[in-house]
Amino acid sequence: MAEKGPTTLADLSLEVRSKNAGPFWVTMELFLRDAEAYRIAAAEAFLDERTIARLYGVDPDGVQIFRIPALNVVKISFPRPVSQASLRDRDVHSGQHHVPLAALPVPSV
């Protein structure tokens, strides 16, 4: 029987998604399962601008994190590394940017 790895943000979420927020920004959203999952995922000691900067290779000063406890949602936005549909853009709709965030291991639950 295969051993399960660490709990990730995807495990705590109903949905993790990313999308364009215009040609120069990416937005990602964590829709957490419940208040306890939100408490874990939204903790500033766990998920902060430096963590996002490390995951996505962006400047932490450009990262914006919005915590919405009434909805159990965390929204994250940052400037795209290259503008949408430019020659070096590999994900025009930013539909795959959520994968590193979803795979992020969370503190012991």
Side-chain angles (χ1 to χ4, degrees):
M1 188 168 179
E3 189 174 313
K4 186 177 180 324
T7 300
T8 65
L9 282 175
D11 295 324
L12 299 181
S13 301
L14 297 170
E15 183 176 7
V16 181
R17 69 181 180 192
S18 56
K19 59 187 176 180
N20 279 332
F24 305 109
W25 285 83
V26 171
T27 292
M28 298 181 293
E29 297 159 328
L30 294 164
F31 295 88
L32 287 309
R33 292 189 180 280
D34 54 31
E36 179 62 12
Y38 175 83
R39 183 191 65 75
I40 294 165
E44 289 186 37
F46 165 61
L47 189 60
D48 63 5
E49 291 80 3
R50 290 181 311 280
T51 301
I52 299 302
R54 186 179 73 250
L55 282 175
Y56 292 95
V58 298
D59 183 350
D61 292 334
V63 176
Q64 299 175 358
I65 300 177
F66 306 92
R67 293 168 175 86
I68 309 165
L71 301 174
N72 294 330
V73 170
V74 177
K75 181 175 179 174
I76 301 162
S77 295
F78 57 85
R80 290 175 63 105
V82 297
S83 62
Q84 180 184 20
S86 67
L87 183 60
R88 295 183 323 154
D89 185 12
R90 297 183 302 155
D91 187 1
V92 173
H93 299 291
S94 298
Q96 301 302 310
H97 280 67
H98 68 283
V99 174
L101 182 65
L104 187 65
V106 299
S108 296
V109 292

